[in-house]
Amino acid sequence: MFTGIIETIGQVVSAQQLGGDVRITISAPDFASRDVALGDSIAINGVCLTVIEYGGDEFVFDVSIESINHTLIGDWVTGKKVNLEMALLPTTRLGGHLVSGHVDGLAKLIKLSKDARSWRMVFELPTDLAKYVAKKGSITINGTSLTVNSVNGNQFDVNVIPHTFDVTTLGTLNEGDRVHIEVDLIARYLERLLSGDTKASSGITESFLSENGFA
């Protein structure tokens, strides 16, 4: 699990095709002195990957076909900058929100504009993901925890403060670029509970949620 609070920006050193999937090497000098071990999880642009080798400031990850099919990793080339976050510890401050590192889909940046000292970003989502995005809810964009300002159909916008713009790769995005999206975990579980697609009914309904202040 992660928090969506980016710890550093890394860089792709190599992306090697191996038998249909990919092995990537990421340079992350800020992680060189960290207590990293084989098998540790690191979120790279919001994708949870496992460290299979490391040395100095370089970390190696195998990326499955499943991950390649649902992310932009297959398009990564040497020199690409990526957001990095190590898995949270029990003592970690939860400054963002609970993030699994499992990308739900891709969104496109359709408008980028200044908003006082911050930046306003408008994204377009696939229709099947838009239902999980709510005004003032949480969303993860390339691994970065952000708050949704407003929703209009399959579009939503976020406000990115100067600090976040500078210390993540969000500041490198241009209109038309695609990003990794992870919707809020609670929205996913609520859909499952309300769908009734289980052997035993949970007893949780929309009216129950409304009566108890959850909807």
Side-chain angles (χ1 to χ4, degrees):
M1 296 296 291
F2 306 90
T3 68
I5 303 300
I6 302 305
E7 296 181 83
T8 190
I9 294 177
Q11 182 170 299
V12 176
V13 175
S14 67
Q16 182 183 8
Q17 298 288 332
L18 287 176
D21 53 31
V22 175
R23 175 169 294 177
I24 60 170
T25 302
I26 304 291
S27 173
D30 289 347
F31 281 177
S33 61
R34 298 284 295 271
D35 185 19
V36 178
L38 292 180
D40 279 358
S41 295
I42 297 179
I44 305 176
N45 268 14
V47 184
C48 177
L49 296 175
T50 301
V51 177
I52 63 165
E53 297 177 22
Y54 68 93
D57 65 357
E58 294 187 354
F59 302 85
V60 183
F61 308 85
D62 277 335
V63 186
S64 69
I65 293 176
E66 174 72 11
S67 294
I68 293 169
N69 289 340
H70 291 86
T71 70
L72 299 168
I73 295 178
D75 298 331
W76 289 0
V77 296
T78 300
K80 179 175 177 59
K81 300 294 181 63
V82 290
N83 294 324
L84 300 177
E85 180 191 357
M86 295 188 69
L88 63 82
L89 299 171
T91 55
T92 302
R93 287 190 178 92
L94 190 59
H97 69 284
L98 287 176
V99 175
S100 69
H102 302 154
V103 171
D104 290 301
L106 305 177
K108 180 189 290 186
L109 176 62
I110 61 173
K111 186 176 181 181
L112 173 64
S113 58
K114 284 301 294 288
D115 187 6
R117 293 186 305 112
S118 299
W119 291 86
R120 183 69 56 111
M121 293 182 165
V122 181
F123 292 91
E124 186 174 78
L125 279 165
T127 303
D128 62 339
L129 284 182
K131 62 184 177 181
Y132 301 112
V133 182
K135 181 179 179 180
K136 301 307 177 186
S138 297
I139 195 162
T140 308
I141 302 176
N142 277 355
T144 308
S145 173
L146 294 167
T147 300
V148 177
N149 286 333
S150 63
V151 180
N152 181 18
N154 68 334
Q155 296 180 5
F156 71 93
D157 68 277
V158 295
N159 188 267
V160 181
I161 63 173
H163 173 76
T164 304
F165 201 77
D166 292 338
V167 302
T168 72
T169 62
L170 295 180
T172 69
L173 294 177
N174 298 304
E175 292 180 359
D177 286 347
R178 295 184 299 164
V179 296
H180 295 150
I181 294 291
E182 181 182 330
V183 299
D184 189 39
L185 286 171
I186 295 175
R188 282 291 196 188
Y189 283 113
L190 277 176
E191 179 189 44
R192 175 67 171 168
L193 287 168
L194 293 171
S195 70
D197 185 23
T198 56
K199 290 183 178 179
S201 174
S202 66
I204 297 177
T205 63
E206 290 187 28
S207 60
F208 173 87
L209 293 173
S210 180
E211 290 169 2
N212 288 275
F214 293 102

